[in-house]
Amino acid sequence: MSQGNTVTRERIAAMEPRIRPYIRHTPVLRVDMADFDRAPLAVDLKLECLQHSGSFKARGAFTNLLERAVPKAGVVAASGGNHGAAVAYAAMRLGHKATIFVPEVSPAAKLERIRGYGAELIVGGARYAEALAASERFAEETGALQIHAFNQEETLVGQGTLGLEIESDLPQIDTLLVAVGGGGLIGGIAAWFAGRIRIIAVEPEGAPTLHRAFEAGHPVDAPAEGIAADSLAPKRVGEMMFPIAEAFVERSILVSDDDIIAAQKALWNRVRIISEPGGAAAFAAVLSGRYVPAPGEQVAVLVCGANANPATF
């Protein structure tokens, strides 16, 4: 059995009521692309950017802390920011100590959130991979429970509850666009839908982790650059999510930094939605025309993170 087979619809459905007391059922907003100076097209935006801690990652964080035994040393996580904020928030709610390692590229808005939840924050290394290595050393030295941002069964199962929620909100959709970094989000969502709708991955050109993995037939190192490097540039997708993506993700679309910036600005200027670069990436695929729906296709876009300062865009 491949690792991906352990992340099942049944397991996701069983987990959802366990984390429900700790997470928000986030809203859906239907927009017309004519409001963005494009051809008329109804698009449903799932606003997971309004989740506790500012991103979808609260789902995986609570799943880990509720499913796994937490030692006295607490939990440790490496993150570009959002996963760290989510783990810190979940640990605060459940009464555990948290230590979060982040790279120097992490923006101030995310660091402030982590500190605000009472976690010990350690900043070091240029990119996520270096923060991850430091967190692994810390776990070995202290016995703290490591909570991986994407390559962990419980993380995938938790993120899969968002797929369940989207299906409940939008049972009629044909296609869902999802941003990809390490792949925990799209892996969990794809495991839930299991081929029943079209799942399209969206990645920055500077960090094509799943795109490169599809080309190679397995996870491989990819560049880790671009405006969304804090959230969508972990170097490679997770081994656990890749079999799920191979089975249930139709393809990966690449968007430029300019596309992402334009999507951020459009979401803020036209509908007053704050999104970080990674959170706006999926919408960028529609706004830029890199994804063109077929006539009559019912499209939803996941806006997955909001830890940004709108004054900067």
Side-chain angles (χ1 to χ4, degrees):
M1 179 185 291
S2 72
Q3 290 172 307
N5 289 336
T6 62
V7 183
T8 63
R9 283 175 53 82
E10 294 75 18
R11 194 170 171 191
I12 292 166
M15 195 65 223
E16 200 277 343
R18 290 195 65 195
I19 66 170
R20 176 52 53 193
Y22 304 103
I23 62 171
R24 292 182 179 132
H25 188 132
T26 52
V28 171
L29 176 67
R30 174 160 289 189
V31 298
D32 188 332
M33 293 306 294
D35 294 337
F36 301 92
D37 304 321
R38 302 295 188 269
L41 172 71
V43 173
D44 290 305
L45 304 179
K46 175 62 171 174
L47 301 181
E48 188 67 7
C49 50
L50 301 180
Q51 188 55 261
H52 289 298
S53 78
S55 82
F56 69 92
K57 288 184 178 282
R59 296 172 183 270
F62 276 110
T63 299
N64 272 279
L65 269 65
L66 293 170
E67 284 279 274
R68 303 166 69 194
V70 179
K72 186 176 180 180
V75 297
V76 59
S79 170
N82 284 343
H83 177 62
V87 170
Y89 174 77
M92 179 187 72
R93 286 286 307 272
L94 297 174
H96 299 297
K97 178 182 177 182
T99 305
I100 310 298
F101 288 78
V102 300
E104 294 161 2
V105 71
S106 297
K110 297 184 179 183
L111 304 188
E112 289 169 11
R113 272 199 179 264
I114 294 169
R115 291 191 182 102
Y117 296 138
E120 182 178 353
L121 179 66
I122 301 171
V123 181
R127 288 289 185 265
Y128 168 78
E130 293 163 84
L132 177 62
S135 73
E136 290 170 343
R137 290 192 296 271
F138 180 88
E140 290 176 3
E141 293 167 2
T142 65
L145 178 68
Q146 190 160 20
I147 301 180
H148 199 283
F150 52 88
N151 200 38
Q152 177 74 39
E153 285 182 14
E154 289 81 5
T155 303
L156 284 159
V157 169
Q159 318 312 23
T161 66
L162 180 50
L164 184 159
E165 190 170 299
I166 290 169
E167 183 168 30
S168 173
D169 291 340
L170 298 166
Q172 78 284 0
I173 60 171
D174 303 307
T175 303
L176 177 66
L177 278 72
V178 182
V180 175
L185 176 60
I186 201 169
I189 288 174
W192 172 258
F193 281 106
R196 291 176 296 119
I197 67 169
R198 179 182 295 110
I199 304 287
I200 303 293
V202 182
E203 303 181 88
E205 290 175 343
T209 53
L210 185 58
H211 197 86
R212 290 283 180 89
F214 279 156
E215 289 178 340
H218 57 89
V220 294
D221 287 355
E225 304 300 334
I227 192 172
D230 63 303
S231 59
L232 300 183
K235 198 171 183 180
R236 65 166 61 192
V237 294
E239 297 284 344
M240 290 183 181
M241 69 77 62
F242 188 69
I244 303 171
E246 273 198 310
F248 301 129
V249 175
E250 182 177 288
R251 66 185 187 275
S252 167
I253 293 173
L254 301 181
V255 292
S256 70
D257 280 0
D258 286 345
D259 294 334
I260 293 171
I261 293 168
Q264 261 191 301
K265 290 180 177 179
L267 287 170
W268 175 244
N269 291 331
R270 303 301 172 94
V271 285
R272 280 303 189 254
I273 293 171
I274 298 173
S275 60
E276 62 191 85
F283 185 65
V286 178
L287 186 70
S288 67
R290 293 181 186 240
Y291 183 78
V292 179
E297 183 179 351
Q298 297 191 63
V299 177
V301 171
L302 182 54
V303 183
C304 56
N307 287 319
N309 182 352
T312 63
F313 54 86

